[in-house]
């Protein structure tokens, strides 16, 4: 018996239920290798007679698989779209795209956008020309801020003295401050990132030079490496950072003098706890000593200023290079000596601060004294202590009292 070849290799025939939006339903039998486009033609012939005369009719319709809600792709076959026997398909007319806007509508839209646009400088000046002027003297505002910073420092100096006297009466003060002193030994600012240092030394850079580069570049390995390469032939590359030598020398002198004083005092007076607490206070103050920004020191010294006066300028101006430069070029007020002066203890401001219950309670906390000492020499750390749950309320009360009395 003779059988046609195409019937032997023909694909499986699927029986598909097709529905139109108008509610018509019928059955289509198609081989699984039929394309979706061909299937769509057959559906349109059945549902909309004569619709194929318009070539756009096919592209304006789409077939959707009812179960998966997937729109079928015209170029794929029924098999590729994973359509099974007795599946339900929906024949839907595509939504027509919106017509392009007319020129009149475009002009109206542009006009609306222009009306909503923010006014320029000329328009603002024209609209506010007849308003009374209330000029704010920015120099006065800046001066008031500077006064607050100066007064705050004086307040801290005096409060430190009060806190030391109160804490000296606490029988556990020595142990508390020994712990505080140990915490200061772990200060990250004194340490160099060991991993970063090892990376640089493994590249072949000397350790002392790598330490200097990391400190100059805020522990960034990439920037430190660039600095080392750039200054490889610099004869002063191994010189200590400006301000570092003087600070180390001061610390050594302070430590030796503290040791010399502590010995005889302990033997003569026999007041071991009190003297031990005094020495701990001294150690804390030495560890919190002002550290000038090395980059700012170098930049200001390159302008011709002496290293000592540069460090004084940075200390007075909280390590702000531009403000320090203005201080050096100006009348140099306040002076570094002024930073050590406290506020008048009989003044209404200081009395109001001491009478505040939150401040009174805070002064009995060793952490508050540490915060005052830190902010005294490193004012940029004020934000850290303002956010601290123990010291933050104390600083907030001091600020509020100052602002209240400053307005009256």
């Amino acid at each position: 018996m003779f059988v046609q070849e195409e019937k032997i290799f023909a694909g499986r025939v699927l029986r598909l239920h097709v529905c139109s939006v108008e509610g018509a339903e019928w059955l289509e039998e198609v081989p699984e290798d039929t394309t979706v486009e061909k299937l769509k033609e057959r559906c349109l012939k059945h549902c909309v007679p004569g619709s194929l005369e318009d070539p756009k009719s096919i592209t304006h319709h789409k077939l959707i698989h009812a179960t998966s809600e997937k729109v079928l792709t015209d170029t794929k076959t029924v098999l590729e779209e994973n359509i099974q026997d007795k599946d339900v398909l929906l024949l839907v007319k595509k939504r027509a795209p919106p017509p392009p806007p007319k020129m009149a509508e475009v002009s109206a839209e542009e006009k609306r956008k222009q009306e909503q646009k923010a006014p320029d400088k000329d328009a603002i000046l024209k609209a506010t020309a007849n308003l009374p002027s209330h000029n704010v003297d920015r120099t006065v505002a800046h001066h008031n801020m500077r006064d607050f910073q100066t007064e705050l420092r004086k307040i801290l100096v005096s409060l430190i003295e009060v806190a030391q006297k109160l804490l000296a009466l606490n029988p556990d003060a020595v142990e508390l401050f020994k712990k505080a002193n140990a915490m200061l030994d772990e200060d990250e600012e004194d340490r160099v990132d060991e991993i970063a240092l090892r990376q640089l030394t493994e590249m072949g850079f000397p350790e002392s030079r790598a330490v200097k580069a990391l400190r100059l570049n805020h522990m960034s390995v990439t920037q430190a490496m660039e600095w080392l390469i750039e200054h490889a032939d610099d004869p002063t590359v191994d010189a200590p950072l400006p301000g570092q030598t003087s600070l180390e020398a001061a610390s050594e002198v302070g430590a030796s003098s503290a040791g010399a004083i502590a010995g005889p005092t302990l033997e003569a007076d026999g007041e071991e706890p009190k003297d031990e607490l005094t020495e701990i206070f001294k150690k804390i103050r030495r560890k919190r000593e002002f550290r000038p920004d090395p980059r700012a020191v170098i930049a200001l010294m390159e302008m011709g200023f002496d290293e000592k006066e540069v460090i004084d300028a940075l200390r007075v101006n909280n390590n702000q290079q531009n403000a320090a430069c203005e201080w050096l070029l100006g009348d140099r007020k306040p002076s570094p000596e002024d930073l050590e002066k406290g506020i008048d203890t009989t003044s209404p401001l200081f009395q109001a601060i001491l009478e505040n219950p939150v401040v009174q309670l805070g002064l009995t906390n060793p952490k508050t004294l540490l915060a005052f000492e830190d902010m005294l020499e490193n004012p940029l750390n004020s934000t850290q202590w303002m956010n601290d749950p123990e010291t933050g309320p104390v600083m907030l009360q001091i600020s509020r009292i100052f602002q209240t009395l400053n307005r009256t």
Side-chain angles (χ1 to χ4, degrees), residues 167-168 170-181 272-278 280-281 366:
L167 290 168
N170 188 334
D172 300 325
V174 174
E175 288 301 320
L176 290 171
F177 277 94
K178 279 183 178 178
K179 292 179 181 178
N181 192 39
E272 182 176 349
K274 182 178 179 181
D275 289 338
E276 189 174 359
L277 188 60
T278 303
I280 293 174
F281 286 153

Side-chain angles (χ1 to χ4, degrees), residues 219-253:
M219 300 302 155
S220 170
V221 177
T222 305
Q223 294 179 11
M225 182 180 65
E226 292 175 356
W227 184 90
L228 287 166
I229 295 172
E230 183 181 348
H231 294 81
D233 299 326
D234 189 345
T236 62
V237 66
D238 293 316
L241 292 173
Q244 184 177 347
T245 307
S246 58
L247 287 177
E248 291 176 355
S251 298
E252 291 175 3
V253 171

